Amino acid sequence: MLSGSIVALITPMDERGNIDRISLKKLIDYHVFSGTSAIVSVGTTGEMSGLSHTEHADMVMWTLDISDGRVPVIAGTGANSTSEAVLLTRQFNGTDIAACLSVAPYYNRPTQEGLFQHFKAISESTDLPQILYNVPVRTGCDILPVTVSRLSAIKNIVGIKEATGDLSRVNQLKEVVDDDFLLFSGDDITALDFMQLGGHGVISVTANIVPQEMVNLCKFALTGNFLSARSINARLMPLHRALFLESNPIPVKWAAWAVGLIKCATLRLPLTSLSADYTDVLKQILINLRLLSL
């Protein structure tokens, strides 16, 4: 069962905006060494909306190939068109992908029945385990607990990434799903509290920069050592917050470049480089964490 610190991996790019496979290998090796529980390839943090379908599939398969069974790989396969999400999902049938992470349809704002039918159609197109992804601030719709309950009855829908930041959702979900239905936080700032309330881990942006500390935080939290977990979390809280000074993944890509994990902080339009107003703020936080020298 997936649990603990799962990284929402950035997609490294070169100066021209092409996927940088050398940096990708460096990132994956770093997470394997650090003990990261699993890697999400081409989710929100991986710039799924900026990649072509071919690049999307290539990035997932390169991640799977480089990881070489050392760490589970979860493929981001969501789309606002049900047929497109089915297509994205089907292309990983027959692979060693551990699960798919499927975001709620964005922009078109479906009803709860529409959400149910959307995810049901995806699940029926594959035997791969499906993890729902609820992030209303980006999608404009909210997968309510009553809908999650209905979807959890479908055998290969196995969990949800809950990124509302609303901690009351944990108990609401636990009341309507079985104990083995996976509950992941999608919000680093509240992830520790989410786990203390019964969540199984976090799909983390912060883990891109400090994977071992996020692994340790989750291990402590999931074994009930909340004193140690809170000590780590307090140290990381400025970083949790700074990585959302601008839209994700703008700050995390800059931070990964600053600490030498990737060659450059290239993003694709409409995303632009981290504003000068924030570079000094994030740089100082990285210095405080001893990830950068003065």
Side-chain angles (χ1 to χ4, degrees):
M1 185 174 72
L2 294 169
S3 64
S5 177
I6 299 172
V7 64
L9 194 70
I10 58 175
T11 295
M13 298 176 184
D14 63 22
E15 293 86 350
R16 296 184 178 183
N18 299 313
I19 297 173
D20 178 0
R21 291 186 65 179
I22 295 174
S23 291
L24 178 60
K25 183 179 187 309
K26 183 176 181 179
L27 288 172
I28 293 169
D29 289 345
Y30 183 42
H31 284 286
V32 171
F33 175 79
S34 300
T36 295
S37 295
I39 290 172
V40 170
S41 180
V42 198
T44 302
T45 310
E47 295 177 73
M48 59 177 289
S49 59
L51 301 183
S52 70
H53 284 180
T54 299
E55 289 174 319
H56 188 137
D58 285 347
M59 176 65 180
V60 172
M61 294 309 295
W62 288 337
T63 302
L64 188 63
D65 181 59
I66 294 167
S67 66
D68 194 25
R70 296 176 295 164
V71 61
V73 176
I74 300 168
T77 54
N80 66 332
S81 161
T82 303
S83 60
E84 184 179 359
V86 166
L87 181 65
L88 285 169
T89 302
R90 279 180 174 168
Q91 65 189 332
F92 301 119
N93 287 345
T95 71
D96 290 328
I97 290 296
C100 296
L101 181 67
S102 191
V103 71
Y106 39 87
Y107 186 76
N108 39 20
R109 301 178 68 188
T111 63
Q112 294 300 304
E113 181 61 24
L115 288 169
F116 175 78
Q117 295 295 339
H118 172 82
F119 289 116
K120 179 174 179 286
I122 296 168
S123 70
E124 290 174 345
S125 74
T126 184
D127 290 328
L128 289 169
Q130 300 294 302
I131 300 171
L132 311 173
Y133 179 10
N134 191 34
V135 55
V137 70
R138 283 184 178 265
T139 63
C141 65
D142 187 358
I143 313 173
L144 297 178
V146 64
T147 303
V148 177
S149 177
R150 293 177 68 197
L151 288 166
S152 71
I154 299 172
K155 67 176 182 178
N156 62 332
I157 296 181
V158 300
I160 186 169
K161 175 184 177 182
E162 180 58 61
T164 59
D166 178 2
L167 291 170
S168 68
R169 278 293 172 91
V170 185
N171 287 330
Q172 291 173 27
L173 288 168
K174 286 178 72 66
E175 287 176 356
V176 296
V177 299
D178 292 338
D179 290 342
D180 60 354
F181 190 79
L182 300 172
L183 303 177
F184 295 115
S185 170
D187 177 54
D188 283 299
I189 291 172
T190 59
L192 174 54
D193 294 321
F194 188 99
M195 285 183 279
Q196 189 164 4
L197 290 168
H200 297 97
V202 57
I203 298 178
S204 170
V205 177
T206 302
N208 280 282
I209 309 304
V210 284
Q212 193 155 21
E213 292 199 66
M214 287 303 298
V215 166
N216 290 337
L217 186 158
C218 290
K219 282 183 177 178
F220 284 133
L222 295 174
T223 55
N225 185 349
F226 294 107
L227 184 63
S228 296
R230 290 201 177 279
S231 176
I232 296 172
N233 199 50
R235 183 169 179 267
L236 296 182
M237 188 57 70
L239 182 60
H240 293 331
R241 296 188 184 281
L243 292 180
F244 289 87
L245 286 168
E246 290 186 328
S247 296
N248 180 43
I250 293 172
V252 70
K253 263 203 162 174
W254 187 92
W257 165 77
V259 301
L261 292 172
I262 55 178
K263 293 178 182 176
C264 53
T266 304
L267 298 132
R268 289 187 181 175
L269 289 171
L271 298 179
T272 53
S273 300
L274 185 66
S275 302
D277 292 345
Y278 296 128
T279 55
D280 287 344
V281 175
L282 188 47
K283 182 179 180 180
Q284 187 58 55
I285 290 168
L286 296 174
I287 290 170
N288 294 345
L289 290 170
R290 299 183 180 178
L291 300 172
L292 277 179
S293 56
L294 289 170

